[in-house]
Amino acid sequence: MFHDFKLTDDRPVAVQVKDHMKRLIIKGALQADQKLPSTRELSLLLNVSRNAIIAAYEGLEDDGLSYTVRGKGSYVAAISGGGSTTAPSWQPDWHARTNGHAKSAVKLDRMKRGILAERGTISFTSIAPDEKLFDLDNVRRAFLDRMAIEGNVLLNYGYAKGYKPLIDYLLRYMDHKGVNIKGKDMLITNGFTEGLDMVLSALRRPDGAVLCENPTHNTALKLLKLHGFEVKGIPMERDGIDLHELDRALAERTYDCAYFVPSYHNPTGIVTSPEKRLALMKRMAERRIPIIEDGFNEELRYSGSHVAPLMATAGDGNGVIYLGSFSKVLFPGLRVGWVLADRELIDYLESIKRARTIHTSTLDQSLLYQYLHNGNLEKYLKKARAEYKRKYEWTKQCIEAHVPYVRMTGDGGLHLFVAFEEGFDTRELLAACSRQGVIFTPGEMFYTGEGEGRHTMRIGFSRVNDEEIGKGIRIIGETAKQLTN
């Protein structure tokens, strides 16, 4: 039983020995009150130092798995539920026991059915930040700074509403975006997804309906459907949502809320014009439809003037719920997002948050706060914008040179959206390209209607180097031409 011990380099030797012995005891290979080998004997059997064995035995005793008899050695302790005694085994039918919500989640989970990228594949599927740009030195400094100030507090439970220094910073940040924060409050969340999930759970009603752009953010679309909303998608024009189609939808029925991504829209990359933003806000205000605004990628502007969030055009009104996150700009590994909304709604969301996850990691929140407080955001954004703008322009140039597209959109951010002739199938294109080591995201997954958008695709360039961008786009273009012909 001791000869199957395999030493690895990833953990301390004493810990590995202790875990091996623990496994033998729990599985019943070593019985209660059985004498363990002496430290000298076991060190020879396992070919490790005696000091490691002594430390391992001390760890077993600390865990209540062994005891020492003075002058005689160490023995296996009797443990509850251990050894060879097991309860009767049975195999539940989990498919029968899971509800419709769980089954819908699986059905809508595109990631499970996506093509896995093998080593060497050129992947245009991601719109996450390029980790090569991560500001590790300043992140490390921020962590050490905050831990030195209140490390003991940060490692304990936090508040459901969030870490107050971060909330105060983000309120000022939104104020600088032109948002009137009068009557508003903020809740910190585990990224954008949790924020949207909680907002939808608070607004959901039987037979509820929601308006959104078509196409739209796939994660948002999935959550809307999981919450049981009837989703009405409104087509996009070059400068944002089609107002004529919106008017038609508004005449058909009432809606519980609307979800919009006005800046660097996912997946089209379109920035809604100031004129359309104002027109959109007027229509929603007239019909008293709350807007959920996704502040996706607002900071990744490469050209043109700054465009204020929808919430900034609302004045004193509190009909907009703003979902913010730095995940696409800074570090998605820090699961920190925020909801800025009317104080009364935030009060409800705070209770929902407390019932679900208690609070967002205070350590993550404090690290982000200190990084921002130290003045690193603008310096990092300047570097990130320069790099992403270069990649954006190179990708756009390659698509224009090689891909037989009909329409291409994307005014900034980390992706471009390409449409082919109606009838072209990007699923077929993806299958052919993947055999040549190139993958991308087919556009149909972003559309609200079944079978829509099969002629479109999203090209994410943030994590692909220049050489791979050129090679990958050329393969996509050549393959598309072959399929067209």
Side-chain angles (χ1 to χ4, degrees):
M1 74 180 83
F2 299 115
H3 296 294
D4 60 353
F5 176 74
K6 296 284 191 300
L7 195 63
T8 61
D9 297 329
D10 58 342
R11 293 185 301 152
V13 174
V15 173
Q16 294 184 60
V17 172
K18 175 197 158 186
D19 287 348
H20 182 72
M21 299 297 288
K22 180 177 180 178
R23 196 175 303 112
L24 293 175
I25 292 169
I26 290 174
K27 289 189 173 182
L30 294 172
Q31 297 289 315
D33 300 319
Q34 179 179 342
K35 189 176 186 301
L36 294 173
S38 69
T39 55
R40 189 182 304 279
E41 181 184 1
L42 192 58
S43 72
L44 293 171
L45 284 169
L46 301 185
N47 194 28
V48 299
S49 73
R50 190 179 175 195
N51 286 338
I53 304 299
I54 292 171
Y57 276 12
E58 288 174 352
L60 288 173
E61 192 161 350
D62 288 342
D63 289 353
L65 295 169
S66 70
Y67 63 91
T68 301
V69 177
R70 189 180 297 275
K72 292 188 177 180
S74 296
Y75 293 79
V76 177
I79 57 173
S80 175
S84 58
T85 303
T86 59
S89 63
W90 67 293
Q91 298 296 328
D93 181 352
W94 291 116
H95 181 77
R97 287 178 175 266
T98 51
N99 57 27
H101 180 83
K103 291 180 175 67
S104 293
V106 172
K107 183 179 178 181
L108 293 166
D109 189 356
R110 299 277 188 148
M111 295 293 288
K112 280 188 176 180
R113 301 191 299 278
I115 294 177
L116 294 176
E118 298 178 0
R119 186 179 293 276
T121 297
I122 299 173
S123 175
F124 294 106
T125 60
S126 175
I127 56 170
D130 184 353
E131 57 265 26
K132 297 183 185 70
L133 295 175
F134 288 170
D135 191 9
L136 295 182
D137 287 341
N138 282 319
V139 170
R140 190 179 298 113
R141 187 172 295 112
F143 174 78
L144 294 174
D145 287 350
R146 208 67 217 161
M147 288 298 287
I149 294 170
E150 52 178 352
N152 291 341
V153 174
L154 301 179
L155 295 174
N156 213 324
Y157 281 108
Y159 297 97
K161 194 172 172 185
Y163 182 60
K164 191 174 186 307
L166 179 61
I167 290 175
D168 291 342
Y169 181 98
L170 291 173
L171 285 171
R172 291 193 301 272
Y173 179 77
M174 294 303 297
D175 179 61
H176 294 158
K177 282 178 175 281
V179 173
N180 185 339
I181 60 175
K182 178 183 175 182
K184 298 179 178 65
D185 204 350
M186 184 174 286
L187 176 81
I188 304 297
T189 62
N190 293 313
F192 156 83
T193 307
E194 187 193 38
L196 179 59
D197 186 43
M198 290 197 301
V199 168
L200 294 178
S201 69
L203 301 183
R204 180 181 61 219
R205 295 179 184 179
D207 302 318
V210 62
L211 284 164
C212 68
E213 295 128 332
N214 192 31
T216 192
H217 187 180
N218 173 254
T219 298
L221 188 57
K222 177 169 60 178
L223 284 173
L224 289 167
K225 291 180 177 179
L226 278 175
H227 280 282
F229 283 97
E230 179 185 325
V231 181
K232 178 62 177 180
I234 309 299
M236 299 281 284
E237 295 181 316
R238 187 63 190 81
D239 61 344
I241 198 167
D242 185 328
L243 294 175
H244 296 297
E245 289 297 325
L246 176 62
D247 288 337
R248 187 177 300 176
L250 290 171
E252 290 175 355
R253 63 165 301 168
T254 58
Y255 294 90
D256 297 281
C257 59
Y259 167 77
F260 298 127
V261 192
S263 297
Y264 312 113
H265 176 266
N266 185 14
T268 66
I270 290 171
V271 176
T272 299
S273 68
E275 296 77 18
K276 276 201 171 175
R277 287 173 189 245
L278 190 57
L280 185 63
M281 290 294 291
K282 285 181 177 177
R283 284 163 168 79
M284 297 299 105
E286 287 168 359
R287 292 163 178 80
R288 299 292 190 264
I289 301 174
I291 293 175
I292 303 169
E293 179 178 10
D294 184 350
F296 181 84
N297 272 357
E298 271 183 357
E299 286 71 23
L300 293 181
R301 174 178 53 86
Y302 306 140
S303 61
S305 59
H306 168 75
V307 182
L310 294 176
M311 187 177 247
T313 67
D316 291 337
N318 280 346
V320 179
I321 304 160
Y322 184 94
L323 300 176
S325 167
F326 288 127
S327 291
K328 295 295 185 290
V329 180
L330 287 175
F331 322 116
L334 292 179
R335 301 307 300 148
V336 179
W338 66 91
V339 182
L340 178 63
D342 183 85
R343 282 200 187 106
E344 186 178 2
L345 177 59
I346 292 295
D347 189 58
Y348 285 109
L349 296 179
E350 180 184 358
S351 295
I352 293 173
K353 172 75 175 178
R354 188 175 287 111
R356 287 186 174 186
T357 58
I358 304 178
H359 66 87
T360 297
S361 164
T362 309
L363 200 57
D364 283 8
Q365 293 183 72
S366 66
L367 172 54
L368 176 59
Y369 163 73
Q370 191 67 43
Y371 181 85
L372 299 171
H373 177 74
N374 288 352
N376 296 308
L377 177 61
E378 284 306 318
K379 289 184 288 186
Y380 179 80
L381 279 178
K382 186 176 181 180
K383 177 178 70 172
R385 282 193 193 112
E387 175 63 8
Y388 292 139
K389 179 182 179 182
R390 192 185 59 74
K391 283 188 175 183
Y392 163 82
E393 290 175 343
W394 172 234
T395 306
K396 190 168 178 284
Q397 183 181 328
C398 290
I399 292 172
E400 290 170 342
H402 300 293
V403 179
Y405 67 91
V406 171
R407 185 175 65 260
M408 174 171 54
T409 56
D411 301 315
L414 303 174
H415 63 279
L416 288 158
F417 196 63
V418 176
F420 296 91
E421 291 278 2
E422 288 282 352
F424 188 87
D425 191 344
T426 54
R427 284 280 177 189
E428 186 180 351
L429 176 63
L430 175 61
C433 288
S434 67
R435 292 192 288 270
Q436 301 172 72
V438 178
I439 60 175
F440 55 83
T441 305
E444 66 171 316
M445 67 186 294
F446 302 103
Y447 281 80
T448 58
E450 197 71 33
E452 288 185 288
R454 292 182 70 93
H455 64 300
T456 65
M457 66 178 179
R458 190 186 70 183
I459 297 291
F461 54 77
S462 56
R463 302 176 69 185
V464 192
N465 65 42
D466 289 7
E467 182 182 351
E468 290 178 333
I469 288 172
K471 179 181 177 183
I473 297 296
R474 189 171 61 253
I475 289 172
I476 290 172
E478 290 171 355
T479 308
K481 289 171 185 174
Q482 290 170 9
L483 291 174
T484 302
N485 295 332

